[in-house]
Each structure stands twice: as C-alpha cells, then as structure tokens.
C-alpha cells in the first residue's frame, strides 16, 4: 500500500464544514491524516465488484422471499409483510447503502464482508471531507472514485421516474414531498440525514426535516408533520429496531403501506440485505464466487469470524481459530441475534494497522473510502481518504 501524510484540517475547520464528530471519546482525531493511493484499475475493480454484488443481493432476496427463509435471516415476524410488499412493488426504491470489503489493494482479491444497506453512516465524510482534504493539500480533488452526491441526487429522482432515465423528472414530478427524520441528540446521524435532504433538494424534490418524535403517523392517512402530509418518509431508524423496540410503529407502517398512503426509505426489504445471515444465502447461491467468503450458520473448520445477524461498529464480533476458539473479540449488545460464521480473510494492512475499504452504492457503485483500525473495526476506527494516482 502507498500511504502518504496529509496536512490535517483543524477542529475549527471541521466545525465550519459541520463535521462535529471529528474527535473520538478517547480524544484522538477521527479523521486520519493519511492518504491512501489507489490506481485507476483498483478503483475500477471496487466499482465493478459492488455492482455485481448488488445484483447478487437482489437475487438472494428473491430467493429468501420465494422460500420463506425469514426465520433463518433472523427477520422479525412483524416486518415480513412489509418487506415482501416493498420488494414486490417498484415504487419502493433503495436510495443508498454501503459495502464493507477486504482486499482490493496490492493485488489482493476483493472480498465482501457485509452490506450496510439500511442506515449506513460515513456518508458526509466520504462525499465532502475527502474533497476538502485533497483540496487543502494541493491535490486535484476530482482525482477520486467519488460521485456519491450526484448519484444519490439522481436516485431520489428515480422515486418519481422509476427507471434508469431521469431526464423527464421535471416533466412528471407532481410535487410529492419527502420528510427526513433522525433521532434527536445524535449529531452524526442528524448530519447524515440533513445531507441526504440536501441531495433531494438538489434533485428538485420538496423536502422537510424533523426529529422522529415529531412525526405523526396514521394507518389510514399516512405521514404528517406540521399539518402537512408527506408521500415519502426517510427515517434513520434501523428496521430491526422498529420491529423489536417499537412493534406498534411497525404495525402502523405496515398499515400505511398496505393502504398506499406513504413510501418509507430506505425500503423494508433492505433489512434482508442488512442481515449478515444473508451472507450464507449468497454462498449457497453462488458457491466459491470470487467476491464471497465461505459462510455458514455453523462453525467452519478454518479460521473464521463469528458475527450476529444484526450489529454495528464491530460489536459482538469474534475471530475464531480453526477449532472455533476465540482469539480476538469485541463485546456488545447484539449477542441475542442469531450467529453467522464467515471465513477469515485479511484486511489491507500497512505499518501494523488495518484498512477496510467501504464503497457506497446508489443505483450503482459511487464512492470509495477507507477505515483504519484493528482487525475488528469498531467505533474508534478512523476515516481515511484516498486519491487515484
């Protein structure tokens, strides 16, 4: 790996560009001063890989629905009807997601680790901060695999055109409104949602923002805020949290969708993609595929990673040896979800640190960034920019 140093932005600089989560709880910088150099061929390979992986996920989701495998994926029963309806109706458009990958540099094959398809963060860092760092250090800020802002903006237009072509968006758009909501008190999540709102505004959509606790939902009438009715609601709450922690909300959402009173973003079927147990379905459907790692519901006879169907920031992940004994692990709150065992594959590494590639997907692969940390990436991992050179 070729890594060079950047002159970092100051905390004041980050505050001015509205990145308030620039410092981790241990008082270290979240935004790394490193720059990873990738070749154009490496960037193209990440692009092609995630386009192929997304198509595979769509086929796998159809397989899960056709064969009623929701239990195997640890999908709550109260979301099954919602998931099936959202998958079968074209109007439920997937706005964006993020693939986490190992390999891809120095000739190492790219391997899928998981797909954050529902509520992925790192969007603002990937889209805006990388550009700012390159520009402030005298690089051509266009020398990146990074068009996520335009890609997501166009994908919002596809909510209206429901097709590849968005050239007729302004001709057929009838003023349908999108309400964007996040949980109160989380700066990173709120900025992510407001950034998505800005993309929708750029696309020509009518939007508004409120916190989740300010939204009114009616089974018969839909989604409301400030006495206005919204055709779309982008809610930055994981679907599994709604199902488990807010079952009454899950029921109302199901009724609203059944009555065709609103569309929810990201769609409920992204919970199938989000479940790490989908990795086993992918392996069953595409055995020995070069982008996949062997994955099973039971322990493997090789070095492996134990995960759970749902979980974030490295929580409840363990690296096991070939006997199934843990050699590295992180605690967390997701241990009650069903486990999954994935063949171990080394991350990109340099100077004793590990680097995980992250590729955003919005209709197509659209941006690359990296996280730096230990073998198990957690909430202390650092964001690292890249340049194509």
């Amino acid at each position: 790996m070729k890594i060079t140093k950047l002159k970092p932005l100051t905390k004041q600089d980050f505050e001015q560009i509205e990145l308030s989560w620039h410092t981790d709880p241990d008082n270290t910088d979240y935004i790394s001063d490193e720059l990873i150099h990738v070749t154009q061929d490496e960037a193209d390979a990440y692009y092609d890989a995630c386009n192929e992986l997304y198509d595979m996920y769509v086929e796998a989701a159809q397989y899960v629905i056709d064969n009623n495998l929701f239990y195997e994926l640890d999908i709550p029963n109260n979301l099954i009807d919602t998931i099936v309806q959202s998958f079968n109706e074209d109007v439920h458009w997937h706005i964006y997601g993020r693939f986490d990958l190992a390999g891809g540099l120095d000739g190492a094959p790219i391997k899928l680790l998981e797909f954050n398809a529902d509520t992925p963060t790192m969007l603002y860092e990937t889209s805006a901060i990388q550009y700012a760092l390159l520009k402030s250090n005298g690089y051509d800020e266009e020398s990146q695999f990074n068009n996520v802002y335009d890609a997501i903006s166009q994908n919002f237009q596809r909510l209206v055109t429901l097709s590849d072509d968005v050239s007729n968006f302004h001709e057929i758009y009838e003023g349908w409104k999108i309400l964007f909501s996040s949980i109160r008190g989380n700066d990173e999540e709120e900025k992510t949602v407001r950034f998505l709102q800005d993309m929708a505004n750029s696309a020509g959509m009518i939007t508004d923002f409120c916190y989740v606790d300010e939204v009114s939902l009616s089974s018969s009438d839909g989604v409301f805020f400030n006495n206005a009715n919204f055709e779309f609601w982008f809610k930055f709450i994981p679907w599994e949290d709604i199902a488990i922690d807010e079952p009454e909300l899950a029921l109302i959402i199901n009724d609203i969708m059944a009555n065709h009173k609103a569309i929810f973003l990201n769609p409920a079927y992204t919970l199938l993609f989000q479940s790490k147990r989908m990795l086993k379905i992918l392996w069953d459907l595409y055995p020995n595929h070069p982008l996949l790692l062997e994955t099973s519901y039971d322990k493997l006879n090789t070095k492996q990673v134990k995960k759970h169907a749902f979980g974030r920031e490295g929580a409840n992940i363990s690296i096991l040896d070939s006997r199934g004994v843990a050699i590295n692990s992180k605690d967390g709150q997701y241990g009650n979800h069903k486990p999954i065992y994935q063949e171990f594959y080394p991350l990109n590494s340099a100077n004793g640190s590990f680097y995980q590639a992250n590729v955003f997907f919005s209709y197509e692969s659209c941006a690359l960034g990296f996280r730096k940390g230990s073998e198990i990436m957690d909430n202390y991992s650092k964001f690292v920019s890249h340049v194509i050179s």
Side-chain angles (χ1 to χ4, degrees):
M1 290 177 61
K2 181 181 178 181
I3 301 175
T4 56
K5 289 288 187 179
L6 294 170
K7 179 184 177 182
L9 299 178
T10 66
K11 290 179 172 57
Q12 183 178 7
D13 292 333
F14 285 127
E15 295 285 348
Q16 289 178 344
I17 56 179
E18 298 183 42
L19 188 127
S20 60
W21 58 100
H22 47 67
T23 304
D24 284 331
D26 61 356
N27 208 35
T28 59
D29 293 334
Y30 164 56
I31 304 297
S32 172
D33 63 353
E34 294 182 338
L35 180 68
I36 295 176
H37 294 252
V38 303
T39 67
Q40 186 64 59
D41 286 346
E42 289 169 336
D44 291 345
Y46 281 126
Y47 173 84
D48 292 339
C50 293
N51 286 342
E52 183 173 0
L53 285 168
Y54 192 84
D55 289 343
M56 291 160 64
Y57 263 95
V58 172
E59 291 297 321
Q62 185 68 68
Y63 181 82
V64 168
I65 291 171
D66 290 346
N67 292 278
N68 194 26
L69 299 178
F70 301 102
Y71 177 80
E72 285 79 355
L73 266 60
D74 209 11
I75 302 298
N77 287 334
N78 57 358
L79 282 182
I80 291 175
D81 290 345
T82 310
I83 288 169
V84 173
Q85 181 182 346
S86 68
F87 190 80
N88 288 336
E89 295 179 348
D90 290 341
V91 294
H92 302 277
W93 204 267
H94 187 190
I95 296 300
Y96 84 117
R98 191 194 77 226
F99 287 98
D100 292 347
L101 308 164
L105 302 179
D106 297 334
I110 295 169
K111 298 292 184 179
L112 171 68
L113 299 178
E114 57 193 60
F115 187 22
N116 301 278
D118 182 13
T119 55
T121 53
M122 287 177 52
L123 180 63
Y124 190 63
E125 300 93 301
T126 302
S127 178
I129 300 304
Q130 292 196 97
Y131 277 127
L133 282 168
L134 287 189
K135 186 173 183 179
S136 68
N137 280 268
Y139 288 91
D140 176 7
E141 62 267 30
E142 299 297 327
S143 296
Q144 290 187 344
F145 169 22
N146 188 3
N147 67 322
V148 64
Y149 188 97
D150 291 339
I152 294 179
S153 294
Q154 286 193 351
N155 223 18
F156 277 118
Q157 293 181 331
R158 292 188 181 95
L159 291 171
V160 175
T161 66
L162 298 177
S163 70
D164 302 348
D165 185 8
V166 297
S167 62
N168 63 340
F169 166 78
H170 294 286
E171 298 172 15
I172 62 178
Y173 179 55
E174 297 184 9
W176 298 300
K177 301 180 291 297
I178 307 180
L179 180 63
F180 289 83
S181 298
S182 67
I183 300 293
R184 192 186 299 269
N186 187 312
D187 289 347
E188 181 180 3
E189 291 186 4
E190 180 175 337
K191 180 59 185 179
T192 298
V193 173
R194 289 187 182 273
F195 195 45
L196 287 161
Q197 181 188 7
D198 187 71
M199 295 174 186
N201 290 337
S202 176
M205 306 285 284
I206 299 171
T207 74
D208 203 347
F209 173 89
C210 72
Y211 297 109
V212 168
D213 58 272
E214 298 176 306
V215 180
S216 296
L217 299 174
S218 165
S219 294
S220 57
D221 297 316
V223 177
F224 293 85
F225 171 64
N226 275 349
N227 297 317
N229 179 234
F230 290 83
E231 288 79 12
F232 302 93
W233 186 31
F234 191 103
K235 42 98 207 125
F236 209 74
I237 320 170
W239 279 105
E240 72 271 19
D241 288 357
I242 291 175
I244 296 168
D245 300 332
E246 302 285 347
E248 291 183 1
L249 175 58
L251 180 60
I252 293 172
I253 288 175
N254 181 72
D255 290 343
I256 291 173
M257 284 180 52
N259 293 325
H260 295 97
K261 292 298 182 179
I263 293 169
F264 297 88
L265 307 169
N266 275 312
Y269 65 76
T270 58
L271 186 57
L272 301 180
F273 299 169
Q274 185 81 24
S275 172
K276 295 175 180 61
R277 290 194 129 217
M278 182 66 98
L279 296 165
K280 192 263 186 186
I281 303 295
L282 288 170
W283 185 257
D284 288 346
L285 295 177
Y286 305 97
N288 300 306
H289 190 284
L291 293 172
L292 301 179
L293 297 167
E294 182 181 1
T295 309
S296 173
Y297 296 154
D298 302 307
K299 288 182 180 178
L300 303 169
N301 295 316
T302 186
K303 189 176 181 181
Q304 61 204 282
V305 179
K306 179 185 178 183
K307 308 178 182 181
H308 292 266
F310 301 104
R312 287 166 173 79
E313 297 180 328
N316 299 104
I317 289 180
S318 301
I319 299 175
L320 312 179
D321 64 18
S322 59
R323 299 169 299 162
V325 177
I327 55 179
N328 191 0
S329 63
K330 297 282 185 181
D331 293 330
Q333 61 186 17
Y334 304 103
N336 289 332
H337 290 293
K338 291 184 175 70
I340 189 81
Y341 299 87
Q342 183 183 52
E343 175 190 357
F344 177 86
Y345 188 82
L347 297 171
N348 302 307
S349 63
N351 303 317
S353 294
F354 297 90
Y355 299 82
Q356 182 188 90
N358 310 110
V359 174
F360 278 92
F361 187 94
S362 182
Y363 186 71
E364 64 180 351
S365 306
C366 57
L368 172 66
F370 291 88
R371 278 188 293 175
K372 173 187 177 181
S374 60
E375 280 191 306
I376 301 176
M377 294 286 168
D378 58 20
N379 59 345
Y380 285 91
S381 64
K382 311 304 181 184
F383 179 80
V384 187
S385 301
H386 78 284
V387 66
I388 296 175
S389 60

